Amino acid sequence: MLKQRIITALALVALLVGAVAFLPLPGLALFLAAVALVGGWEWSDLAHYKSLPLRLAFCVVQALVMLWMYVSCRLGDTPDTAAVQQLLGVAGVWWALALLWVKGYPASAGLWGNPFMLGLMGLLVITPAWLAVVFLLSYSRGPLLLLFMVVVIACADVGAYFAGRAWGKRKLALQVSPGKSWEGVWGGLLACAMLGCVVFLVLRPPQLGLAGILAVILTTAMASVLGDLVESMVKRHRGVKDSGIILPGHGGLLDRIDGHTAAAPVFALGLILAGW
């Protein structure tokens, strides 16, 4: 199983790197939209859409939302940063609401557990993340920023894993994800803070001071935890372990990018607000 997971992960990385390296921005946006639609297809099952027409209709709506974002934010040209900021701000409000629902689960399922609300949740989970990634990649240093975001999330995951195994006692969200602990969260944040200090000392970015770097990194790390918890909550409500079977050894696509769906909008919005 470990070998299979490693092979799948390497294949995904190679596919993404190849797309970023060789596709023009419109083609890259289309490629990422296709990836997002795979996630949307999986979400339609989590939303308990049983019929094929209904699941296809959800994906069509998702595609139309992404097309509207692409056109209204001028992602194919010089992006309209103000429009992007507004949409990412809406995503930030959504994730704040999602945090309350996670804390209130299972009682909160009475508010969001119906198919309509689950469908709306899916659009709010997936499409702002797509917008954030395409927005970042529209800039010359976008690939490096995207890589840095992935490193931040990985650092948070690794720090949380080791801190949780060593000291984890207080459960973060017992009804949603019993394996996560507050000690793990703090360990992940500490690892990310150390990463931020290293970045500041080595690169000395002129646009951001140490406080700005830490603010962007730590909020991104915390958002990645929330993204993981939200998908875990929806899967638990649906009664499934994985979002799909498309990735051998990993489960579904959403199982691999759950943290990124929340982290990407927060990361991009943080850079905008910090004056990048």
Side-chain angles (χ1 to χ4, degrees):
M1 179 65 71
L2 178 59
K3 180 180 179 181
Q4 191 178 51
R5 288 174 65 89
I6 293 174
I7 292 174
T8 301
L10 291 176
L12 289 175
V13 170
L15 183 62
L16 179 59
V17 170
V20 172
F22 296 109
L23 290 177
L25 184 60
L28 187 56
L30 186 60
F31 167 78
L32 293 172
V35 173
L37 286 171
V38 173
W41 178 258
E42 293 180 350
W43 189 279
S44 69
D45 180 65
L46 296 180
H48 212 196
Y49 295 166
K50 297 180 180 180
S51 68
L52 178 61
L54 192 57
R55 296 185 68 181
L56 289 174
F58 175 81
C59 292
V60 169
V61 171
Q62 180 190 338
L64 291 174
V65 171
M66 290 188 291
L67 178 61
W68 171 74
M69 287 179 168
Y70 185 85
V71 173
S72 63
C73 295
R74 300 204 303 267
L75 295 179
D77 191 13
T78 302
D80 184 346
T81 304
V84 172
Q85 181 178 337
Q86 289 177 353
L87 291 175
L88 295 183
V90 172
V93 173
W94 141 247
W95 284 111
L97 177 61
L99 174 61
L100 297 178
W101 284 349
V102 168
K103 288 175 64 66
Y105 184 79
S108 65
L111 298 173
W112 55 262
N114 61 80
F116 173 79
M117 285 299 298
L118 282 167
L120 180 60
M121 285 173 64
L123 295 176
L124 290 170
V125 165
I126 299 171
T127 57
W130 173 85
L131 168 65
V133 172
V134 176
F135 171 70
L136 290 175
L137 291 175
S138 66
Y139 291 90
S140 59
R141 295 184 180 179
L144 291 178
L145 289 172
L146 184 60
L147 175 61
F148 180 62
M149 183 193 77
V150 172
V151 170
V152 169
I153 297 171
C155 190
D157 286 343
V158 171
Y161 175 78
F162 285 106
R165 282 184 63 102
W167 303 292
K169 292 181 180 179
R170 296 177 298 162
K171 297 301 182 182
L172 176 63
L174 182 61
Q175 300 297 325
V176 174
S177 184
K180 286 184 170 55
S181 67
W182 278 108
E183 291 79 6
V185 172
W186 294 121
L189 292 178
L190 177 60
C192 288
M194 294 171 63
L195 173 66
C197 292
V198 170
V199 169
F200 176 74
L201 292 173
V202 173
L203 299 180
R204 298 280 181 172
Q207 300 95 334
L208 294 174
L210 178 59
I213 291 174
L214 290 178
V216 172
I217 288 178
L218 294 179
T219 53
T220 299
M222 289 187 289
S224 71
V225 176
L226 178 57
D228 189 308
L229 289 174
V230 166
E231 199 213 347
S232 295
M233 177 180 71
V234 174
K235 288 192 296 185
R236 187 168 290 271
H237 180 72
R238 178 71 170 85
V240 296
K241 182 178 181 294
D242 297 319
S243 64
I245 58 173
I246 192 172
L247 301 178
H250 288 262
L253 176 68
L254 289 177
D255 297 320
R256 300 283 63 81
I257 65 169
D258 48 7
H260 299 72
T261 57
V266 170
F267 181 73
L269 181 61
L271 291 177
I272 294 173
L273 295 177
W276 170 72

